[in-house]
Amino acid sequence: MPRNRDARLAVLGSSVQRSAAYGQSTARSRAVKRRVVVVGLVAAALALLTVSFRSAALDPVEGYAATALRPFEIAANRVARPFRDGSSWVQGLFDAKAENRTLRAANERLRQQVAALAGNAQENAALNQLVHYIHSPTFPGGYGEVAAQALTSPTDLDQSVTISAGSNNGVQDEDVVVTAQGLVGIVNDVFPTEARVMLITNPGIGVRAVDETNPAAIGTLDHGVGSDSLILDQIGNDLRVNANDTIVTAGSPTGAAAKFPSLYPRDIPIGYVSSVGQSDTDVYKDIQVQPFVDLSSLETVLVLIPKKAHGSAKTRHSAKARHSAKAQRPK
């Protein structure tokens, strides 16, 4: 029994070895065959390419082959087209986003440049108006001028502004402030490089004014109901004042009242009559005046500087006393 078992094992072992050797030989032969086929195909391709370049004998064959392969080419193109289109769409999307960001930045720069140019144009127009006003016959005689920028805007509770000129520029207390359109107010506080201007709509101010159409209608310009409202007071019912009449500064009085000079030069435009009311029981007319100057958006103003210092000092003192009495007078 043991001998037979050993014999079978020997036979089985030799069979396995022969099978393994046969499998290895088959694999090598297949590899050799593949190499031979590849080399043959490469040689045939080279031969065909050589013949194709040197003669036209293969042109019909190439035409038949191209015709036969055309359906496969069309099918391949149809299969690949969605992928090409998708890739192009994604690339186009990224390009469009980048271009959009670039265009937005360029648009913002252009918008800022346009705004700056518009602001410069408005500023230049305002300066040109001031220069024209300074050299016009309507500019008050006996006065110089100092140009200044409005640094603040008035509020409902504070009808005054700060300007960018002060005592270093020759500005003094109670100097009159105007624009090319008309009267703005009067300086009531001075610093070295700035000054505070009380607007004509301030309740503490009073301006001697007259109807340009009817010189007999002289009154006092006072603060009205609204923040930008003015009233021409002390105009008797017997005097003629019409809507849209121009109201200007009356200057200093003459005759017996000359001892109470006005701080404001004569004939500075103030505004126009927006409405006229009259009652049999009232002594004076109710005259509403709309200022020519937009006091809520002042930009560049002129401070009128009296050229005669000594004479103007007396005028300033007398007018200041009168102005203080008016401010303390009960409404």
Short mmCIF file of all heavy atoms in Angstrom, two decimals, residues 11-55:
data_model
loop_
_atom_site.label_atom_id
_atom_site.label_comp_id
_atom_site.label_asym_id
_atom_site.label_seq_id
_atom_site.Cartn_x
_atom_site.Cartn_y
_atom_site.Cartn_z
N VAL A 11 3.62 10.10 -10.21
CA VAL A 11 2.98 10.32 -11.51
C VAL A 11 2.29 11.66 -11.55
O VAL A 11 2.39 12.41 -12.52
CB VAL A 11 1.99 9.16 -11.79
CG1 VAL A 11 1.17 9.48 -13.02
CG2 VAL A 11 2.74 7.85 -11.96
N LEU A 12 1.55 12.00 -10.46
CA LEU A 12 0.85 13.29 -10.41
C LEU A 12 1.83 14.45 -10.47
O LEU A 12 1.60 15.47 -11.12
CB LEU A 12 0.00 13.38 -9.15
CG LEU A 12 -1.23 12.46 -9.11
CD1 LEU A 12 -1.89 12.52 -7.74
CD2 LEU A 12 -2.21 12.85 -10.19
N GLY A 13 2.94 14.37 -9.80
CA GLY A 13 3.93 15.45 -9.80
C GLY A 13 4.50 15.65 -11.15
O GLY A 13 4.67 16.79 -11.61
N SER A 14 4.79 14.55 -11.85
CA SER A 14 5.35 14.73 -13.20
C SER A 14 4.32 15.33 -14.14
O SER A 14 4.65 16.16 -15.00
CB SER A 14 5.83 13.38 -13.73
OG SER A 14 4.73 12.47 -13.82
N SER A 15 3.01 15.02 -13.96
CA SER A 15 1.96 15.59 -14.80
C SER A 15 1.84 17.08 -14.58
O SER A 15 1.68 17.87 -15.52
CB SER A 15 0.62 14.89 -14.53
OG SER A 15 0.72 13.52 -14.80
N VAL A 16 1.93 17.52 -13.34
CA VAL A 16 1.82 18.94 -13.01
C VAL A 16 2.97 19.71 -13.61
O VAL A 16 2.82 20.80 -14.14
CB VAL A 16 1.74 19.13 -11.49
CG1 VAL A 16 1.88 20.60 -11.12
CG2 VAL A 16 0.45 18.57 -10.94
N GLN A 17 4.17 19.10 -13.54
CA GLN A 17 5.33 19.79 -14.08
C GLN A 17 5.21 19.94 -15.58
O GLN A 17 5.56 20.97 -16.16
CB GLN A 17 6.60 19.02 -13.73
CG GLN A 17 6.93 19.09 -12.23
CD GLN A 17 8.16 18.25 -11.88
OE1 GLN A 17 8.74 17.60 -12.77
NE2 GLN A 17 8.54 18.28 -10.61
N ARG A 18 4.71 18.89 -16.26
CA ARG A 18 4.56 18.97 -17.70
C ARG A 18 3.51 20.03 -18.08
O ARG A 18 3.68 20.78 -19.04
CB ARG A 18 4.15 17.60 -18.27
CG ARG A 18 5.30 16.60 -18.29
CD ARG A 18 4.95 15.44 -19.22
NE ARG A 18 3.77 14.74 -18.76
CZ ARG A 18 3.79 13.71 -17.88
NH1 ARG A 18 4.93 13.30 -17.37
NH2 ARG A 18 2.67 13.13 -17.53
N SER A 19 2.40 20.11 -17.28
CA SER A 19 1.35 21.11 -17.57
C SER A 19 1.88 22.52 -17.41
O SER A 19 1.61 23.43 -18.21
CB SER A 19 0.14 20.90 -16.66
OG SER A 19 -0.39 19.61 -16.86
N ALA A 20 2.65 22.76 -16.36
CA ALA A 20 3.21 24.09 -16.13
C ALA A 20 4.15 24.47 -17.24
O ALA A 20 4.15 25.60 -17.75
CB ALA A 20 3.92 24.14 -14.78
N ALA A 21 4.99 23.49 -17.65
CA ALA A 21 5.94 23.79 -18.72
C ALA A 21 5.21 24.06 -20.02
O ALA A 21 5.57 24.96 -20.78
CB ALA A 21 6.91 22.61 -18.90
N TYR A 22 4.11 23.37 -20.26
CA TYR A 22 3.34 23.57 -21.48
C TYR A 22 2.66 24.94 -21.46
O TYR A 22 2.63 25.64 -22.46
CB TYR A 22 2.30 22.46 -21.59
CG TYR A 22 1.39 22.64 -22.78
CD1 TYR A 22 1.83 22.36 -24.08
CD2 TYR A 22 0.08 23.10 -22.61
CE1 TYR A 22 1.01 22.53 -25.16
CE2 TYR A 22 -0.74 23.27 -23.71
CZ TYR A 22 -0.28 22.97 -24.99
OH TYR A 22 -1.11 23.15 -26.05
N GLY A 23 2.11 25.37 -20.26
CA GLY A 23 1.45 26.68 -20.15
C GLY A 23 2.42 27.81 -20.39
O GLY A 23 2.10 28.80 -21.06
N GLN A 24 3.61 27.70 -19.85
CA GLN A 24 4.61 28.74 -20.06
C GLN A 24 4.99 28.85 -21.52
O GLN A 24 5.16 29.94 -22.07
CB GLN A 24 5.84 28.47 -19.20
CG GLN A 24 5.56 28.60 -17.70
CD GLN A 24 6.77 28.24 -16.86
OE1 GLN A 24 7.81 27.86 -17.41
NE2 GLN A 24 6.62 28.34 -15.54
N SER A 25 5.13 27.68 -22.17
CA SER A 25 5.50 27.69 -23.59
C SER A 25 4.40 28.31 -24.43
O SER A 25 4.67 29.09 -25.35
CB SER A 25 5.75 26.24 -24.05
OG SER A 25 6.02 26.21 -25.44
N THR A 26 3.11 28.07 -24.08
CA THR A 26 2.00 28.65 -24.82
C THR A 26 1.96 30.17 -24.67
O THR A 26 1.74 30.91 -25.62
CB THR A 26 0.68 28.04 -24.35
OG1 THR A 26 0.74 26.62 -24.50
CG2 THR A 26 -0.49 28.59 -25.14
N ALA A 27 2.18 30.68 -23.45
CA ALA A 27 2.17 32.12 -23.19
C ALA A 27 3.27 32.82 -23.97
O ALA A 27 3.09 33.90 -24.54
CB ALA A 27 2.32 32.40 -21.70
N ARG A 28 4.48 32.18 -24.02
CA ARG A 28 5.59 32.78 -24.74
C ARG A 28 5.30 32.84 -26.23
O ARG A 28 5.59 33.81 -26.92
CB ARG A 28 6.88 32.01 -24.48
CG ARG A 28 7.49 32.30 -23.10
CD ARG A 28 8.93 31.84 -23.06
NE ARG A 28 9.02 30.38 -23.24
CZ ARG A 28 8.97 29.49 -22.24
NH1 ARG A 28 8.86 29.93 -20.99
NH2 ARG A 28 9.07 28.20 -22.48
N SER A 29 4.68 31.76 -26.71
CA SER A 29 4.37 31.73 -28.14
C SER A 29 3.33 32.79 -28.51
O SER A 29 3.43 33.43 -29.56
CB SER A 29 3.88 30.34 -28.55
OG SER A 29 2.64 30.05 -27.89
N ARG A 30 2.36 33.01 -27.63
CA ARG A 30 1.37 34.04 -27.89
C ARG A 30 1.99 35.44 -27.90
O ARG A 30 1.67 36.29 -28.74
CB ARG A 30 0.27 33.99 -26.84
CG ARG A 30 -0.66 32.79 -26.99
CD ARG A 30 -1.68 32.78 -25.89
NE ARG A 30 -2.58 31.63 -26.03
CZ ARG A 30 -3.52 31.31 -25.14
NH1 ARG A 30 -3.68 32.07 -24.06
NH2 ARG A 30 -4.28 30.26 -25.34
N ALA A 31 2.88 35.68 -26.97
CA ALA A 31 3.56 36.97 -26.93
C ALA A 31 4.37 37.20 -28.18
O ALA A 31 4.40 38.29 -28.76
CB ALA A 31 4.46 37.06 -25.69
N VAL A 32 5.06 36.10 -28.64
CA VAL A 32 5.85 36.23 -29.85
C VAL A 32 4.97 36.51 -31.05
O VAL A 32 5.29 37.35 -31.90
CB VAL A 32 6.67 34.93 -30.06
CG1 VAL A 32 7.35 34.93 -31.45
CG2 VAL A 32 7.73 34.80 -28.98
N LYS A 33 3.78 35.85 -31.10
CA LYS A 33 2.86 36.06 -32.20
C LYS A 33 2.35 37.51 -32.22
O LYS A 33 2.25 38.13 -33.28
CB LYS A 33 1.68 35.10 -32.11
CG LYS A 33 2.05 33.65 -32.43
CD LYS A 33 0.83 32.75 -32.31
CE LYS A 33 1.20 31.29 -32.63
NZ LYS A 33 0.03 30.40 -32.50
N ARG A 34 2.03 38.06 -31.02
CA ARG A 34 1.55 39.44 -30.97
C ARG A 34 2.61 40.42 -31.46
O ARG A 34 2.32 41.38 -32.17
CB ARG A 34 1.12 39.80 -29.54
CG ARG A 34 -0.22 39.17 -29.13
CD ARG A 34 -0.77 39.86 -27.90
NE ARG A 34 0.09 39.68 -26.74
CZ ARG A 34 -0.03 38.69 -25.87
NH1 ARG A 34 -1.00 37.76 -26.05
NH2 ARG A 34 0.78 38.59 -24.84
N ARG A 35 3.84 40.15 -31.06
CA ARG A 35 4.92 41.04 -31.50
C ARG A 35 5.09 40.98 -33.00
O ARG A 35 5.31 42.01 -33.67
CB ARG A 35 6.22 40.65 -30.81
CG ARG A 35 6.21 40.95 -29.31
CD ARG A 35 7.47 40.45 -28.65
NE ARG A 35 7.43 40.69 -27.20
CZ ARG A 35 8.35 40.27 -26.35
NH1 ARG A 35 9.40 39.56 -26.80
NH2 ARG A 35 8.24 40.52 -25.08
N VAL A 36 4.99 39.75 -33.52
CA VAL A 36 5.13 39.59 -34.96
C VAL A 36 4.01 40.32 -35.70
O VAL A 36 4.23 41.01 -36.71
CB VAL A 36 5.14 38.10 -35.34
CG1 VAL A 36 5.06 37.92 -36.85
CG2 VAL A 36 6.40 37.43 -34.81
N VAL A 37 2.78 40.21 -35.15
CA VAL A 37 1.65 40.90 -35.78
C VAL A 37 1.83 42.42 -35.74
O VAL A 37 1.59 43.12 -36.72
CB VAL A 37 0.33 40.49 -35.09
CG1 VAL A 37 -0.82 41.36 -35.58
CG2 VAL A 37 0.02 39.02 -35.37
N VAL A 38 2.27 42.93 -34.56
CA VAL A 38 2.48 44.38 -34.44
C VAL A 38 3.54 44.86 -35.41
O VAL A 38 3.39 45.87 -36.10
CB VAL A 38 2.85 44.73 -32.99
CG1 VAL A 38 3.30 46.19 -32.89
CG2 VAL A 38 1.67 44.49 -32.06
N VAL A 39 4.65 44.12 -35.47
CA VAL A 39 5.73 44.50 -36.39
C VAL A 39 5.24 44.45 -37.83
O VAL A 39 5.53 45.34 -38.64
CB VAL A 39 6.95 43.59 -36.19
CG1 VAL A 39 8.00 43.84 -37.27
CG2 VAL A 39 7.56 43.82 -34.81
N GLY A 40 4.43 43.45 -38.13
CA GLY A 40 3.91 43.35 -39.49
C GLY A 40 2.98 44.49 -39.83
O GLY A 40 3.04 45.06 -40.93
N LEU A 41 2.13 44.86 -38.89
CA LEU A 41 1.21 45.98 -39.13
C LEU A 41 1.97 47.29 -39.31
O LEU A 41 1.64 48.12 -40.17
CB LEU A 41 0.21 46.09 -37.98
CG LEU A 41 -0.82 44.96 -37.88
CD1 LEU A 41 -1.65 45.13 -36.62
CD2 LEU A 41 -1.73 44.95 -39.11
N VAL A 42 2.98 47.51 -38.47
CA VAL A 42 3.78 48.73 -38.59
C VAL A 42 4.47 48.78 -39.94
O VAL A 42 4.51 49.81 -40.63
CB VAL A 42 4.79 48.82 -37.45
CG1 VAL A 42 5.78 49.97 -37.67
CG2 VAL A 42 4.07 49.00 -36.12
N ALA A 43 5.03 47.62 -40.35
CA ALA A 43 5.72 47.57 -41.65
C ALA A 43 4.74 47.83 -42.78
O ALA A 43 5.04 48.56 -43.74
CB ALA A 43 6.40 46.21 -41.81
N ALA A 44 3.53 47.22 -42.66
CA ALA A 44 2.53 47.43 -43.71
C ALA A 44 2.10 48.90 -43.77
O ALA A 44 1.92 49.47 -44.86
CB ALA A 44 1.32 46.52 -43.46
N ALA A 45 1.94 49.51 -42.59
CA ALA A 45 1.55 50.92 -42.56
C ALA A 45 2.61 51.79 -43.19
O ALA A 45 2.32 52.72 -43.96
CB ALA A 45 1.29 51.36 -41.12
N LEU A 46 3.87 51.51 -42.86
CA LEU A 46 4.96 52.30 -43.46
C LEU A 46 4.99 52.11 -44.96
O LEU A 46 5.21 53.06 -45.73
CB LEU A 46 6.30 51.88 -42.84
CG LEU A 46 6.48 52.27 -41.36
CD1 LEU A 46 7.79 51.69 -40.82
CD2 LEU A 46 6.47 53.78 -41.20
N ALA A 47 4.76 50.87 -45.39
CA ALA A 47 4.77 50.61 -46.83
C ALA A 47 3.64 51.34 -47.52
O ALA A 47 3.81 51.95 -48.60
CB ALA A 47 4.68 49.09 -47.08
N LEU A 48 2.45 51.30 -46.89
CA LEU A 48 1.30 51.99 -47.48
C LEU A 48 1.53 53.50 -47.54
O LEU A 48 1.17 54.17 -48.51
CB LEU A 48 0.03 51.66 -46.70
CG LEU A 48 -0.48 50.22 -46.84
CD1 LEU A 48 -1.65 49.98 -45.88
CD2 LEU A 48 -0.92 49.93 -48.27
N LEU A 49 2.09 54.05 -46.47
CA LEU A 49 2.37 55.48 -46.46
C LEU A 49 3.37 55.86 -47.55
O LEU A 49 3.23 56.88 -48.24
CB LEU A 49 2.91 55.91 -45.09
CG LEU A 49 1.90 55.93 -43.95
CD1 LEU A 49 2.60 56.20 -42.63
CD2 LEU A 49 0.84 56.99 -44.21
N THR A 50 4.39 55.00 -47.72
CA THR A 50 5.40 55.28 -48.75
C THR A 50 4.78 55.25 -50.14
O THR A 50 5.00 56.14 -50.98
CB THR A 50 6.54 54.27 -48.65
OG1 THR A 50 7.10 54.31 -47.34
CG2 THR A 50 7.64 54.58 -49.68
N VAL A 51 3.97 54.19 -50.37
CA VAL A 51 3.34 54.07 -51.67
C VAL A 51 2.37 55.23 -51.91
O VAL A 51 2.26 55.78 -53.00
CB VAL A 51 2.62 52.70 -51.79
CG1 VAL A 51 1.80 52.63 -53.07
CG2 VAL A 51 3.62 51.58 -51.74
N SER A 52 1.63 55.63 -50.83
CA SER A 52 0.64 56.71 -50.96
C SER A 52 1.30 58.03 -51.31
O SER A 52 0.78 58.79 -52.12
CB SER A 52 -0.15 56.83 -49.66
OG SER A 52 -1.04 57.92 -49.72
N PHE A 53 2.46 58.29 -50.73
CA PHE A 53 3.14 59.55 -51.05
C PHE A 53 3.79 59.54 -52.42
O PHE A 53 3.90 60.57 -53.07
CB PHE A 53 4.20 59.85 -49.97
CG PHE A 53 3.63 60.43 -48.72
CD1 PHE A 53 3.64 59.71 -47.54
CD2 PHE A 53 3.06 61.70 -48.73
CE1 PHE A 53 3.10 60.24 -46.39
CE2 PHE A 53 2.52 62.24 -47.58
CZ PHE A 53 2.54 61.51 -46.41
N ARG A 54 4.25 58.34 -52.87
CA ARG A 54 5.02 58.27 -54.12
C ARG A 54 4.17 58.02 -55.34
O ARG A 54 4.62 58.23 -56.46
CB ARG A 54 6.09 57.19 -53.99
CG ARG A 54 7.17 57.56 -52.99
CD ARG A 54 8.29 56.54 -53.03
NE ARG A 54 9.37 56.94 -52.12
CZ ARG A 54 10.50 56.24 -51.96
NH1 ARG A 54 10.70 55.12 -52.67
NH2 ARG A 54 11.42 56.66 -51.12
N SER A 55 2.93 57.54 -55.18
CA SER A 55 2.08 57.25 -56.34
C SER A 55 0.63 57.44 -55.97
O SER A 55 0.28 57.55 -54.79
CB SER A 55 2.33 55.82 -56.83
OG SER A 55 1.85 54.87 -55.89
#
